[in-house]
Amino acid sequence: MKKKLQAVMSGVLATTLLLSACQSSEAATQVTSETTAAASDSTLTTQTTASQTETTPAATTTADSTTAADSTTAADSTAAADTASLTGEDEDLDALLTPATGSVKILTSVTGGKDDEEMALFAQQLGEDTGLEIEMEKPADYSTALQQKLAAGDVYDLIYLNAPDQQNLVNQGVLTELTDRIASSKVLGDTAVVAASEWEQIKVDGKLYASFNKKEVHRLVNLNAAIARSAGIDPDTIEPTLDGYYNVMLAMKAETAASDFYGLSLVLSSVWDLQPWFSAVGLKTGITQDADGNYDVPIASEASKPVWTWLKKLYDEGLLDPDSFTQSSGDMRSKFQEGKVAVVVDWAAWTGLYNVNADSQYPDQFEAVALPGTKSATGDYMLARGDASLWAIPVNASNPDGAFRVLEYFGTQTGGNLLGIGIEGYDWTVEDGSITLTETGQSHGKDHGAPVSLSDSYLTPVAANPGFAQAMSYLQYASPEVSTDKTNTYKEIVGRYAISMIQGELSLDDGLQQMRQALKDAGVITAA
């Protein structure tokens, strides 16, 4: 049952993603699962009986010992576990998973291989482990493709979606209820795997319609500490106030003396992510709900004005990247990776990924350091935890048992490895009882859809990326934003008025007033 994919064509390994972005003036190559969604549409089918050509796996990394990518042995927290536990070889998947046979067709966004060749290997490994025939389809524009395919009645057994998507699709009657299945599952129903509180966060009207793709972490400030140190700034002593960060950005811009260097880069069109700054005035970003069930948007209130004033100041003084009004998160990441930005707000997992991407430039020329942002008047930090990334079974699925078997598999040690460190024999190997990432595996950043496993029982088989542990220490300050069927409307309206206020097209007073009224008119705000 637990046959591992040892066969890897030597030519496939030659397609390793090269992390050379920080060594050239070109845009950085992103190595997380997010960017693979931009690849060409592809449909990949594998069967568990597919023949495999046995070859010797690629040698482990030859990267210089000073690079961030050298952490390839078991982390201290799991070093005591034996190899069979870390690889999942001691799991009896047939005893754990829902009995099922046949084929499972999956529409995926961020989960899978980094390119078409690895997608085929990923699907084959998933098929080997579950005993199913797996077909994975990864469209280029996932959100649009999902809507079009569901509207056309296309049949999929599993679809990837986020929390707002789930709410909308439940309202349309598209998703299968999974409450009883999850409760009786030996994997997903085990609170040592997924805490009951996690399930509560994704319930719709008290029922479950999806399972998790990964454990959602939080977004926080990432600072290029190499440039900060050159400017005489110790990241550990930065004053956690708006003025404190302003002074840091000013000093770092002066240090670089580059006209295209900015203190802060944002993705304002979707209001992503401003929480570390609104913490300064004690306000939660996104939509909030009071005890009476009324919805509000705190950053569209008079109390939010000091933060909007600060952002406008950054723009007026040339510290805010002007591309913040139109760019994507990928654009923002590329600039930070290239050393053109002092500060960004990004996922905790990206702290480590930035450092891995920096290769030999880490840590002297580039080092991403995680910080919790600004403190409120009560001395608290406030960070946003991400919307859940989910898997759901459509009501027209042809193999719901097989689909649920896959959902359970993702919660096992074996499944967590596939979604994280990737494919054995391609991304990682076992040598002399130790798990080691290949050069390809290192370039993939231990992320094939789930850099943090959905399972609380998961044993991390290799050391975390540099800086990730520190970033995760700030999870205690994070809480999720409320997701409703109005979440996307909230982002559009707030983003539109934020841009107008910061660019000076509207005064802050007029902009906040009009923003709040527009949110009320759209039904986003229901409070008085």
Side-chain angles (χ1 to χ4, degrees):
M1 173 63 192
K2 284 284 313 302
K3 293 183 292 181
K4 290 290 185 180
L5 182 63
Q6 301 292 346
V8 181
M9 299 295 183
S10 59
V12 173
L13 285 174
T15 64
T16 300
L17 295 177
L18 299 178
L19 300 176
S20 58
C22 293
Q23 300 168 338
S24 70
S25 60
E26 296 178 356
T29 300
Q30 306 295 348
V31 298
T32 68
S33 55
E34 288 181 301
T35 58
T36 60
S40 299
D41 289 3
S42 59
T43 301
L44 304 159
T45 305
T46 69
Q47 298 186 30
T48 58
T49 56
S51 61
Q52 301 175 13
T53 303
E54 297 205 5
T55 61
T56 302
T60 56
T61 180
T62 57
D64 187 87
S65 61
T66 61
T67 69
D70 273 340
S71 299
T72 60
T73 58
D76 291 342
S77 61
T78 55
D82 59 43
T83 303
S85 296
L86 294 174
T87 61
E89 291 292 341
D90 62 355
E91 287 182 314
D92 185 348
L93 292 180
D94 276 333
L96 289 172
L97 308 182
T98 295
T101 59
S103 63
V104 173
K105 186 176 181 181
I106 303 173
L107 188 66
T108 183
S109 174
V110 302
T111 297
K114 303 298 183 180
D115 52 33
D116 287 353
E117 288 176 298
E118 197 190 15
M119 276 295 292
L121 296 174
F122 185 97
Q124 184 169 338
Q125 183 69 74
L126 179 55
E128 287 282 342
D129 289 343
T130 60
L132 299 164
E133 179 184 340
I134 301 294
E135 179 181 341
M136 298 186 74
E137 184 177 337
K138 194 173 208 177
D141 183 351
Y142 186 79
S143 295
T144 300
L146 175 63
Q147 296 172 15
Q148 292 175 343
K149 290 175 182 295
L150 292 178
D154 292 358
V155 176
Y156 292 92
D157 298 299
L158 275 179
I159 57 173
Y160 177 93
L161 66 164
N162 58 31
D165 289 334
Q166 179 192 214
Q167 179 73 59
N168 291 330
L169 294 177
V170 168
N171 292 343
Q172 297 171 33
V174 173
L175 305 183
T176 301
E177 187 193 339
L178 301 176
T179 310
D180 292 339
R181 273 188 182 267
I182 289 171
S184 60
S185 170
K186 294 178 182 178
V187 178
L188 300 177
D190 184 350
T191 55
V193 174
V194 181
S197 59
E198 294 290 304
W199 291 118
E200 288 298 322
Q201 292 182 23
I202 65 167
K203 282 185 176 179
V204 178
D205 298 328
K207 299 177 181 179
L208 292 170
Y209 292 87
S211 184
F212 296 99
N213 177 64
K214 61 182 176 180
K215 181 179 290 295
E216 292 303 329
V217 291
H218 51 297
R219 300 183 290 268
L220 75 177
V221 173
N222 277 268
L223 171 82
N224 188 333
I227 298 176
R229 287 191 291 265
S230 295
I233 298 166
D234 180 354
D236 293 333
T237 62
I238 292 174
E239 180 186 345
T241 65
L242 295 177
D243 286 342
Y245 276 96
Y246 167 80
N247 291 331
V248 166
M249 295 173 194
L250 201 64
M252 291 176 68
K253 185 172 177 65
E255 174 65 21
T256 64
S259 60
D260 62 346
F261 182 90
Y262 297 98
L264 177 65
S265 192
L266 299 169
V267 184
L268 277 168
S269 60
S270 58
V271 206
W272 195 88
D273 177 331
L274 302 177
Q275 183 61 73
W277 315 124
F278 278 99
S279 175
V281 290
L283 296 181
K284 182 74 175 170
T285 56
I287 302 170
T288 61
Q289 187 176 26
D290 64 22
D292 296 324
N294 295 314
Y295 294 106
D296 202 354
V297 176
I299 66 171
S301 67
E302 182 66 22
S304 70
K305 188 175 178 180
V307 180
W308 295 118
T309 301
W310 179 75
L311 289 170
K312 187 176 189 309
K313 176 183 179 181
L314 296 183
Y315 177 66
D316 291 343
E317 297 186 14
L319 291 175
L320 179 65
D321 177 8
D323 289 340
S324 296
F325 305 120
T326 57
Q327 70 183 355
S328 67
S329 59
D331 297 329
M332 176 195 76
R333 288 173 179 138
S334 292
K335 292 176 183 178
F336 184 64
Q337 190 77 75
E338 293 168 2
K340 295 182 178 180
V341 176
V343 169
V344 295
V345 177
D346 211 341
W347 297 106
W350 265 99
T351 303
L353 289 168
Y354 283 127
N355 290 328
V356 170
N357 286 2
D359 198 38
S360 61
Q361 293 196 343
Y362 172 88
D364 295 331
Q365 295 164 279
F366 180 96
E367 182 184 5
V369 169
L371 297 169
T374 60
K375 281 186 176 181
S376 67
T378 59
D380 297 320
Y381 293 110
M382 297 174 65
L383 298 173
R385 192 174 174 189
D387 270 336
S389 58
L390 306 168
W391 291 105
I393 303 174
V395 292
N396 67 341
S398 60
N399 189 358
D401 287 342
F404 194 76
R405 184 177 174 89
V406 172
L407 295 184
E408 291 175 311
Y409 166 80
F410 288 157
T412 65
Q413 182 71 25
T414 311
N417 284 344
L418 182 60
L419 293 176
I421 60 175
I423 304 159
E424 184 177 356
Y426 184 73
D427 293 292
W428 57 279
T429 61
V430 179
E431 300 176 4
D432 299 324
S434 296
I435 296 172
T436 305
L437 295 179
T438 64
E439 186 174 355
T440 297
Q442 288 189 18
S443 74
H444 291 173
K446 310 182 191 77
D447 180 7
H448 291 78
V452 181
S453 172
L454 68 90
S455 172
D456 291 335
S457 297
Y458 179 70
L459 302 174
T460 304
V462 294
N465 290 330
F468 178 65
Q470 179 181 347
M472 287 300 292
S473 72
Y474 300 125
L475 179 60
Q476 60 183 307
Y477 304 117
S479 60
E481 296 178 348
V482 175
S483 290
T484 75
D485 56 1
K486 300 291 185 181
T487 295
N488 291 334
T489 304
Y490 150 79
K491 293 177 181 179
E492 187 277 322
I493 292 174
V494 175
R496 173 160 42 94
Y497 282 99
I499 291 170
S500 294
M501 290 189 297
I502 293 170
Q503 289 183 328
E505 296 172 357
L506 286 173
S507 69
L508 293 177
D509 289 332
D510 289 344
L512 282 173
Q513 183 180 11
Q514 292 179 32
M515 179 194 296
R516 189 165 186 83
Q517 188 59 52
L519 290 165
K520 286 185 175 182
D521 292 343
V524 178
I525 293 178
T526 60

